[in-house]
Amino acid sequence: PYAQLARWDRPIGWQLLMWPCFWSAALAANVAAAAGTFDWTRFVFHLALFFIGSVAMRGAGCTYNDLVDHDIDNAVARTRSRPLPSGRVTRRQAKVFMLLQTLVGLIVLLQFNLFAMLLAIASLLIVAIYPFAKRFTDWPQFFLGMAFSWGALMGWAAEFGKLSLAAGALYVAAIAWTVGYDTIYAHQDKEDDALIGVRSTARLFGERTKQWLVGLYGLTVGLIAVSFWLAGVGLVAWLGLVVAAFMLAWQIRTLDIDDPEQCLALFKFNGVVGLSIFLALAVAIPFA
């Protein structure tokens, strides 16, 4: 039940949290390599830290979310079998488990420079607000995007100890991407959400979801292109972005918002989108 509480059985969550971290680290690596300050050992170490941190903090976040949404999860068919509403884990046990996962995240955080550590701590306010967002706004996916995309700032901060316009553009791009794919995900629960009063962009966009996705995914690609241009990355990275753009367009074209299984499959496919952008950036790192 603890593995289910942390969603270890659903790795797509920590993958989607991790990819913006990897994008940012690889983007920074391109700049550092061009300046002659790139260190492969440091780069790989940072990727390992981001991997461990993503698994730990996504698990802690899911546990916190389930504690906040205990009653809501009990009213939604898809979430009724989760460990807390089903009674397989008590609230006290869940809180202890959440603290243990957070401790792992803290150990990871202490490996970075001071600026990166403070930057990560600043994200906790957004993380704390997100589970409540569905109660007061039709845009809870935006709050998720701000939290899940924070890694787009972290990779750059870990390398340079500061931020830049390139990292900022990447962060906003990742937010738009998150709002898009989580809107697709939220269409699975729209009937139950309507019955219990839970708000989401899936309910807000409704039949206009594809039009909104064109804008959101278009913004994603456009702002990633801006970050690439500002960072001066090579041709391979641009080709990877073109591939990712086609993947996003394919999602919009094939989406059936009334098919929950397809919505879940398209949501998970964004893990491949994230991987393609990272690999393109990693391959584009110039050798000294």
Side-chain angles (χ1 to χ4, degrees):
Y2 290 99
Q4 291 179 327
L5 197 61
R7 311 290 197 275
W8 292 338
D9 56 329
R10 299 178 184 179
I12 185 60
W14 62 256
Q15 290 170 11
L16 292 173
L17 179 62
M18 181 185 73
W19 289 131
C21 302
F22 274 36
W23 296 353
S24 186
L27 188 70
N30 275 267
V31 175
T37 60
F38 177 65
D39 183 337
W40 274 104
T41 302
R42 183 175 66 246
F43 176 61
V44 173
F45 180 57
H46 283 173
L47 293 184
L49 291 174
F50 285 134
F51 163 69
I52 297 169
S54 295
V55 174
M57 295 312 296
R58 187 262 184 154
C62 286
T63 306
Y64 172 65
N65 190 75
D66 283 8
L67 283 164
V68 172
D69 285 349
H70 194 163
D71 293 336
I72 291 177
D73 285 347
N74 201 39
V76 177
R78 185 179 60 82
T79 57
R80 196 171 294 136
S81 61
R82 285 178 177 173
L84 273 172
S86 66
R88 288 177 291 141
V89 173
T90 67
R91 290 185 63 84
R92 182 178 180 181
Q93 290 169 334
K95 291 175 182 177
V96 172
F97 183 52
M98 179 182 69
L99 290 175
L100 290 173
Q101 293 174 93
T102 305
L103 179 61
V104 174
L106 176 61
I107 293 172
V108 168
L109 186 60
L110 292 174
Q111 310 309 307
F112 293 112
N113 60 59
L114 179 60
F115 180 82
M117 285 191 285
L118 294 175
L119 184 66
I121 292 171
S123 72
L124 295 180
L125 177 62
I126 302 171
V127 173
I129 292 173
Y130 165 65
F132 300 97
K134 64 175 71 73
R135 294 164 169 82
F136 65 80
T137 178
D138 291 323
W139 290 85
Q141 280 69 28
F142 177 70
F143 286 86
L144 178 68
M146 288 193 292
F148 252 56
S149 303
W150 205 259
L153 302 175
M154 287 296 299
W156 191 279
E159 177 66 30
F160 297 118
K162 61 182 181 180
L163 293 179
S164 70
L165 287 176
L170 191 66
Y171 175 59
V172 180
I175 292 176
W177 180 49
T178 305
V179 174
Y181 68 62
D182 203 61
T183 296
I184 295 174
Y185 183 82
H187 271 288
Q188 297 177 92
D189 299 328
K190 58 190 174 186
E191 286 85 6
D192 285 335
D193 287 349
L195 288 173
I196 61 178
V198 169
R199 300 158 77 172
S200 72
T201 48
R203 292 186 60 202
L204 177 66
F205 299 165
E207 296 299 323
R208 297 175 293 122
T209 292
K210 285 193 174 186
Q211 292 93 314
W212 275 96
L213 287 176
V214 169
L216 288 165
Y217 282 167
L219 185 61
T220 300
V221 174
L223 286 175
I224 291 178
V226 170
S227 72
F228 281 11
W229 175 70
L230 290 170
V233 300
L235 177 62
V236 174
W238 288 99
L239 293 175
L241 180 58
V242 171
V243 171
F246 275 106
M247 290 180 181
L248 294 173
W250 173 78
Q251 289 181 44
I252 298 171
R253 180 177 176 81
T254 60
L255 175 64
D256 179 356
I257 60 173
D258 296 317
D259 184 344
E261 290 186 5
Q262 192 223 35
C263 287
L264 180 60
L266 289 178
F267 163 76
K268 290 181 176 180
F269 184 71
N270 281 280
V272 180
V273 176
L275 174 62
S276 68
I277 294 173
F278 166 68
L279 287 179
L281 280 168
V283 173
I285 298 173
F287 290 92

